[in-house]
Amino acid sequence: MPLNRRTFLGTSAAAGAGVAMAGGVAVPAEAHGRGHGRPPKRYSFTVMGTTDLHGNVFNWDYFTDKEFDDKAHNDVGLAKISTLVDQVRAEKGRHNTLMIDAGDTIQGTQLSYYYAKIDPITAKRGPVHPMAQAMNAIGYDAAALGNHEFNYGIPVLRKFEEQCDFPLLGANALDAKTLRPAFAPYVIKRMRTPHGPDVRVAILGLTNPGIAIWDKVNVSGKMVFPGLEEQAAKFVPRLRSMGADVVIVSAHSGTSGTSSYGDQVPYVENAAALVAEQVPGIDAILVGHAHLEIPEYFVENKETGKKVVLSEPLKWGQRLTLFDFDLVWEKGRWVVERAGSQVLNSNTVAEDPKITGLLADEHKKVVAYVNQVIGTSTVAMTTAEAAWKDEPIIDLINVVQAETVKAALAGGEYASLPVLSQASCFSRTAQIPAGDVTIKDAAGLYPFENTLEARLLTGAQIRDYLEFSARYYVQTAADAPVDTAKLTNADNTPDYNYDAVSGLTYDIDIAKPNGSRIVNLSFEGKAIDPAAQFVLAVNNYRASGGGNFPHVPGAKQVWANSEEIRNTIIAWVQAKGSVDGSQFASVDWRLTRDGKPVF
């Protein structure tokens, strides 16, 4: 896509004619300076944005140990983004550009895990985080905090902040005692113009209130996270009074207005569009968190009627957002005359050797780490069909979790209770090969840094839990054809919010409506007793309310540890030496319609 200003203005006038007709951000040029006898001063600049980089520097998948690829042939990584950024700066002039990010930077790949846990940046004379090195080299001006920034604890986040040459922004990440921002809430950048007066661009950073739930163990008593709208309403007028000509929000929050955690906190998880709608004075919002691609989306502010432009580039460095602003000098100040956005695809360019060369040694260390052999497997196992079938590879997660909890409870008050376990299909491409099993195989099966807990639930609560999980399937009549490509992810439920539970048996009747799908729920061959007590081995994300599953967040915690489930799986395989699927694989659940199995 051409990057020259003429093309941008032309496409904005064509596609954006709808913007003007709909009361958008464009203001007719003739409305400015009419009758003054000279053309008004104008200035244009571009703000580039990324989000949800999740530790991706190279176009590399450490879980498969090969170049990243997907069905759409997307590429990932900051090395690709760097090439796009250089092209934009060459076209626009570096002094006419800014570079920002909307969070979730330091968690997600084995590269980022290695420098948080294996060779931690917090160690004395520890390394500089690869994401800090890459983003510094690219020349970021600011980045908002994401919720995954808190996964490794505040000390790791603070060290990363110290290593960055740009501020980490979080206007709604407050110190729990003083209720003052624990991070810089904003930064104001000055853009030099050919006409004398600088353009003052304010960047306000907002993060996700869900941090209070998802990373409770790391932030409880230390930080609180009020709503995005609430904090934007405090800071945007302040920024305008400080002389900001343009206000850009970098928000680690989607646009849907929904929350995955129900009413556990009184703030909306995906509030970016609400911020645009409710808080006057914002020109643009860089959106994050939802892992969606939104090239250009306009929201009308209720108070002013002004259109605010929103854009979300696709995760992992697959896209780069460009916000283009045209300003006019009017009545002694700069005014935004037009604002629009687009996204560039990183698969159209090569990796920047400046970035790949800078981090070549770190990359080699991590590749060597993930290829360490931890044991063997007698058979190959895969998650290819695990979203609709009870597969041995998911049973592996559950048997490790259940055995770990049983061992921890042995000899105690709850030792006699049956232990159930929940697990999700995090990736449909994970596999355990026949033969050698490596760290990357285990990491690909469990890519998140979740830890393990044990919660006390009744049989009735387990049924509710399973009914909630079964909402994942699209209702399909008994005589209708079944297309697995359309069977799952009902109401946009992600794979990681569908749980299979081991230790009992049940059918999911997908012909029935939500709330009445769990059939033949049994424990040890008998219908489950609603009053019976069970221990559920559950990850900390689910236990803290992630996904808004019923009962678990309020259930009694009978055990917990700080070891990542991934590492528990690795240690289990190492202790066994050989993984034999026939020893733990079982069909605990199946999909049915009117009593007949779907598969």
Side-chain angles (χ1 to χ4, degrees):
M1 185 177 293
L3 300 179
N4 63 74
R5 182 173 177 273
R6 178 179 298 174
T7 302
F8 168 72
L9 291 176
T11 55
S12 292
V19 173
M21 290 164 57
V25 297
V27 179
E30 60 269 22
H32 298 286
R34 183 179 292 165
H36 291 284
R38 68 176 72 173
K41 298 174 182 177
R42 285 192 165 84
Y43 174 69
S44 298
F45 72 98
T46 297
V47 177
M48 297 172 283
T50 53
T51 191
D52 296 278
L53 293 168
H54 284 288
N56 285 280
V57 174
F58 296 83
N59 186 42
W60 195 260
D61 185 347
Y62 294 97
F63 298 136
T64 60
D65 195 27
K66 59 185 180 182
E67 187 173 287
F68 178 89
D69 193 27
D70 62 13
K71 291 180 180 179
H73 300 298
N74 288 302
D75 288 346
V76 300
L78 277 171
K80 291 267 184 171
I81 291 294
S82 182
T83 301
L84 289 175
V85 168
D86 283 349
Q87 290 181 356
V88 174
R89 285 172 173 161
E91 177 70 30
K92 310 280 186 175
R94 178 160 186 155
H95 61 287
N96 295 322
T97 66
L98 295 173
M99 182 72 190
I100 64 176
D101 183 81
D104 274 7
T105 304
I106 60 171
Q107 177 277 337
T109 64
Q110 287 296 285
L111 180 71
S112 54
Y113 177 81
Y114 188 89
Y115 288 97
K117 292 288 190 175
I118 308 303
D119 186 10
I121 61 175
T122 49
K124 188 176 182 180
R125 297 177 183 173
V128 177
H129 199 289
M131 294 302 286
Q133 292 191 58
M135 294 173 84
N136 289 343
I138 291 170
Y140 275 76
D141 293 286
L145 294 165
N147 53 285
H148 283 288
E149 260 64 85
F150 294 84
N151 286 175
Y152 297 119
I154 292 174
V156 170
L157 175 53
R158 288 299 190 191
K159 188 63 178 180
F160 175 70
E161 179 187 30
E162 176 187 316
Q163 293 177 342
C164 291
D165 294 340
F166 51 90
L168 300 183
L169 306 178
N172 61 328
L174 310 183
D175 181 274
K177 294 180 180 178
T178 66
L179 297 183
R180 294 176 178 173
F183 295 83
Y186 60 84
V187 64
I188 297 178
K189 308 294 290 188
R190 287 181 173 267
M191 313 292 290
R192 292 196 173 274
T193 76
H195 306 295
D198 292 346
V199 173
R200 288 161 293 190
V201 182
I203 303 162
L204 177 68
L206 296 169
T207 193
N208 207 287
I211 295 166
I213 297 174
W214 305 320
D215 269 299
K216 181 178 180 180
V217 67
N218 290 326
V219 301
S220 182
K222 299 173 184 176
M223 294 185 192
V224 295
F225 303 87
L228 284 83
E229 310 100 302
E230 174 185 325
Q231 290 302 101
K234 289 182 180 179
F235 279 98
V236 172
R238 186 181 306 177
L239 293 170
R240 289 293 186 182
S241 69
M242 293 168 64
D245 301 299
V246 181
V247 174
I248 300 167
V249 174
S250 183
H252 193 75
S253 182
T255 61
S256 66
T258 61
S259 297
S260 68
Y261 44 71
D263 58 0
Q264 293 180 72
V265 294
Y267 309 114
V268 177
E269 176 183 351
N270 294 301
L274 294 174
V275 171
E277 181 183 80
Q278 297 177 14
V279 181
I282 297 169
D283 295 294
I285 300 180
L286 177 65
V287 177
H289 184 62
H291 290 199
L292 299 175
E293 180 175 343
I294 304 175
E296 183 179 63
Y297 173 50
F298 290 99
V299 174
E300 183 175 306
N301 184 267
K302 283 186 174 181
E303 182 175 327
T304 65
K306 176 185 173 181
K307 292 289 179 69
V308 182
V309 61
L310 287 73
S311 179
E312 180 176 6
L314 199 58
K315 64 186 185 299
W316 305 347
Q318 295 180 48
R319 304 289 187 273
L320 175 70
T321 278
L322 302 187
F323 289 108
D324 285 288
F325 298 93
D326 292 328
L327 279 63
V328 62
W329 182 258
E330 185 179 77
K331 297 180 181 178
R333 59 186 292 266
W334 288 107
V335 176
V336 175
E337 185 176 47
R338 184 184 297 274
S341 63
Q342 60 178 305
V343 295
L344 305 182
N345 194 329
S346 65
N347 71 9
T348 62
V349 296
E351 291 184 306
D352 185 346
K354 172 184 65 184
I355 303 300
T356 56
L358 178 68
L359 293 166
D361 288 344
E362 286 84 347
H363 177 65
K364 290 177 182 177
K365 285 182 182 179
V366 176
V367 168
Y369 165 73
V370 300
N371 280 289
Q372 292 180 46
V373 175
I374 57 174
T376 61
S377 177
T378 59
V379 294
M381 295 179 283
T382 175
T383 58
E385 297 184 328
W388 55 85
K389 290 182 182 179
D390 187 346
E391 292 283 9
I393 196 168
I394 303 299
D395 293 336
L396 172 60
I397 299 174
N398 275 327
V399 74
V400 171
Q401 292 182 162
E403 287 188 7
T404 302
V405 169
K406 287 176 184 177
L409 298 180
E413 178 182 357
Y414 303 100
S416 62
L417 293 180
V419 176
L420 313 178
S421 178
Q422 63 80 219
S424 301
C425 176
F426 293 122
S427 166
R428 298 193 187 189
T429 59
Q431 57 184 336
I432 300 293
D436 287 346
V437 178
T438 64
I439 285 177
K440 74 171 183 284
D441 299 323
L445 178 59
Y446 213 110
F448 295 104
E449 276 70 60
N450 294 338
T451 58
L452 187 61
E453 297 189 16
R455 297 285 179 123
L456 198 61
L457 295 175
T458 66
Q461 290 174 327
I462 291 293
R463 179 181 288 277
D464 289 346
Y465 188 99
L466 292 172
E467 286 285 7
F468 185 89
S469 185
R471 302 184 313 163
Y472 173 72
Y473 295 105
V474 174
Q475 187 173 2
T476 309
D479 58 349
V482 175
D483 181 355
T484 55
K486 300 177 181 178
L487 178 63
T488 62
N489 307 101
D491 297 324
N492 296 315
T493 302
D495 290 348
Y496 61 76
N497 275 343
Y498 170 68
D499 286 356
V501 175
S502 71
L504 36 70
T505 58
Y506 57 98
D507 294 341
I508 302 173
D509 192 329
I510 60 173
K512 296 182 182 295
N514 288 337
S516 59
R517 292 182 167 180
I518 302 302
V519 182
N520 302 324
L521 179 58
S522 303
F523 175 69
E524 294 185 340
K526 298 179 181 179
I528 198 167
D529 179 357
Q533 286 192 314
F534 297 87
V535 173
L536 179 66
V538 59
N539 68 55
N540 68 302
Y541 172 77
R542 189 72 77 236
S544 64
N548 200 31
F549 276 62
H551 304 305
V552 175
K556 181 178 177 62
Q557 183 191 80
V558 297
W559 177 82
N561 77 351
S562 59
E563 186 65 55
E564 288 135 2
I565 293 170
R566 175 199 299 141
N567 287 345
T568 303
I569 294 171
I570 290 171
W572 188 90
V573 173
Q574 288 175 322
K576 294 285 185 182
S578 179
V579 176
D580 184 352
S582 66
Q583 294 183 357
F584 57 77
S586 62
V587 179
D588 296 322
W589 63 275
R590 61 181 184 169
L591 300 185
T592 62
R593 291 184 295 182
D594 293 346
K596 297 180 180 179
V598 176
F599 303 105

